[in-house]
Amino acid sequence: MNSDTILVTGAGGQLGTELVLALRKIYRHVIASDLKDGSPALSEGGEFIRLDVLYKNGLADCVKRFNVNQVYHLAAILSATGEKNPELAWRINMKGLRNVLDVCTENKVKKLFFPSTIAVFGPTTPRVNTPQYTVMEPNTIYGISKQAGERWCDWYFQKRGLDVRSLRYPGLISYKTKAGGGTTDYAVDIFFEAVEKKKYECFLKEDTVLPMMYMPDAIRGTIQLMEAPADKITVRSGYNFAGCSFAPKDLAAEIKKTIPDFAITYAPDFRQPIADSWPQSIDDSVAQKDWNWKPEFDIAKMTKDMLVNIEAMQSVA
Ligand code: VAH
C-alpha cells in the first residue's frame, strides 16, 4: 500500500464516494471530507471529517494535522444547481479552489487533482469531436467557474510549481451514488426508474447527444492521471477526457434490450439549453498520447452493468 496520505474534499458526492473507496484500496490513509456528514461507506472504511473548503484555516489545520501529501478537491456546485444559485456556485467553486491551491502550495502538498468538466465549452465551441484547444465561451456559472479554475490551476503550476492535474469530466454514470444537481443526471436516474417503475420522464429532448462516461472508467482514468510521471503531463488546465456519447433515445433503446416494456417520455426543462450549449463528443487524443488513456465501457457494456447491479441492490433492499 502506498504510504501517501490523501485528502478528498466533497467526498460525499457522486464521484467523491467512489473515488474514496477506490483510493482506499491503494493508499493506507485516505481522509474523506465533506461539508455534511458522510455515508457509512465513507466513515466505516476509514477517516471521515466535516470540512468547509471556504474556511481556509480549517483546511490548513487538516492538511497539517494529517500531514496530507495529495489532495483530490471535488467540492463544487454543478451546472443545474449553479444556475439556480449563481453566487453560491461562484463562491464555492472559486474561493474554495483558491483556498485549496494556497493551502497545497503553503504546505508543500505533492499533488492536487482538480475536476474540470466539458461544461468549460460553450455554444461557440465546435460540438463534434471537440479538440483539446479551441474556442471556450461557457454560458453557465458552473462552466465559467471551472474554466477560471483551469486557468488558476495552470497559473499555480507555472508560477508556484504546484503539481496540479485535471480532467474535463463528461457526464458521469454510476449506481453506487445518485447524481445531484447536474444536467446529465437523467443518465443516472433513468436506470433506477427503469428497474423500479419501467418508465421514465426525461428532462432533455430525445436527440440530445452528450459526452458521458461510466464511473469505473472515470475512477480508473483519474487515478491513472494522478499516478502518471510528471514529465508525461503536458496539460495543466484540464485534459479532454472521453467515454461514450449518446442521446436519451439511444440509452432508452439500450435499456429496452434488457427491460422490453420500458417506456420513456420527454419533458424538456431549464436544463435543455444548458445541454444544448455543450459538446456532443470529445477528442481526448492528447490524454491518450500523454498518459495512455483508453475507456473500457461503451453504452451497451455500461447499461448491462448498471441494470445488473441496480436489480441486485433492489433485490436485497
Ligand atoms: C453536470 N454532471 O451535469 C455534471 C457534469 C458535464 C456535466 O459536469 O453539471
Side-chain angles (χ1 to χ4, degrees):
M1 296 276 266
N2 189 309
S3 58
D4 272 3
T5 296
I6 296 190
L7 170 66
V8 179
T9 72
Q14 182 197 24
L15 173 62
T17 300
E18 297 213 40
L19 197 54
V20 165
L21 298 176
L23 288 168
R24 283 178 173 161
K25 292 179 183 152
I26 307 168
Y27 291 90
R28 193 185 317 281
H29 198 187
V30 178
I31 304 145
S33 73
D34 207 303
L35 190 61
K36 52 196 183 310
D37 280 334
S39 64
L42 291 177
S43 43
E44 282 162 9
E47 189 97 32
F48 176 86
I49 59 168
R50 300 276 298 272
L51 189 65
D52 179 355
V53 293
L54 294 181
Y55 177 45
K56 185 180 174 184
N57 289 344
L59 181 60
D61 289 348
C62 169
V63 166
K64 290 175 190 150
R65 174 155 57 101
F66 292 103
N67 188 26
V68 169
N69 309 108
Q70 297 184 41
V71 175
Y72 285 70
H73 174 51
L74 307 183
I77 300 288
L78 298 184
S79 58
T81 304
E83 290 306 286
K84 290 180 181 171
N85 307 277
E87 285 309 318
L88 176 69
W90 184 255
R91 195 163 69 249
I92 289 181
N93 294 4
M94 293 317 308
K95 185 58 189 156
L97 173 62
R98 287 296 315 282
N99 286 344
V100 169
L101 286 164
D102 282 339
V103 168
C104 285
T105 308
E106 291 156 11
N107 293 280
K108 298 184 175 25
V109 167
K110 282 197 296 193
K111 281 186 262 190
L112 167 63
F113 178 74
F114 169 69
S116 187
T117 162
I118 58 134
V120 296
F121 301 115
T124 54
T125 303
R127 296 192 74 197
V128 177
N129 269 336
T130 300
Q132 178 71 45
Y133 300 103
T134 184
V135 175
M136 296 167 73
E137 296 179 314
N139 61 3
T140 62
I141 295 302
Y142 172 62
I144 295 165
S145 71
K146 287 294 187 178
Q147 183 186 28
E150 287 191 355
R151 301 323 313 145
W152 273 114
C153 288
D154 188 63
W155 188 90
Y156 271 78
F157 172 72
Q158 303 291 347
K159 304 292 174 67
R160 298 275 191 277
L162 179 62
D163 184 349
V164 50
R165 307 180 187 195
S166 175
L167 294 170
R168 290 170 179 165
Y169 287 116
L172 298 182
I173 297 167
S174 63
Y175 59 85
K176 290 180 184 166
T177 40
K178 293 275 182 83
T183 300
T184 58
D185 294 358
Y186 91 87
V188 177
D189 303 341
I190 191 172
F191 285 103
F192 287 90
E193 307 249 332
V195 170
E196 290 157 19
K197 302 173 187 165
K198 296 198 185 326
K199 63 179 180 170
Y200 177 64
E201 182 177 87
C202 184
F203 56 72
L204 295 181
K205 289 178 191 164
E206 63 175 338
D207 58 352
T208 308
V209 177
L210 286 171
M212 298 282 187
M213 183 180 286
Y214 196 31
M215 189 61 81
D217 271 343
I219 298 296
R220 179 173 54 83
T222 302
I223 296 173
Q224 190 174 328
L225 169 66
M226 289 298 277
E227 309 264 303
D231 62 2
K232 299 289 186 194
I233 309 301
T234 65
V235 175
R236 295 292 179 166
S237 51
Y239 274 100
N240 278 10
F241 187 47
C244 52
S245 288
F246 52 77
K249 67 182 179 184
D250 306 319
L251 193 52
E254 206 57 47
I255 290 170
K256 281 180 183 172
K257 290 178 185 173
T258 304
I259 307 174
D261 50 347
F262 170 66
I264 186 167
T265 54
Y266 299 94
D269 69 11
F270 74 100
R271 288 165 284 196
Q272 186 63 47
I274 297 174
D276 291 340
S277 74
W278 290 348
Q280 292 185 330
S281 60
I282 298 290
D283 170 0
D284 63 359
S285 52
V286 177
Q288 292 177 32
K289 177 178 68 63
D290 284 4
W291 45 277
N292 301 318
W293 164 244
K294 186 168 175 38
E296 290 175 3
F297 285 85
D298 61 11
I299 187 171
K301 189 177 174 185
M302 173 191 68
T303 299
K304 280 195 185 71
D305 197 67
M306 279 289 283
L307 292 176
V308 160
N309 282 284
I310 292 172
E311 280 163 358
M313 285 161 63
Q314 301 290 359
S315 65
V316 297

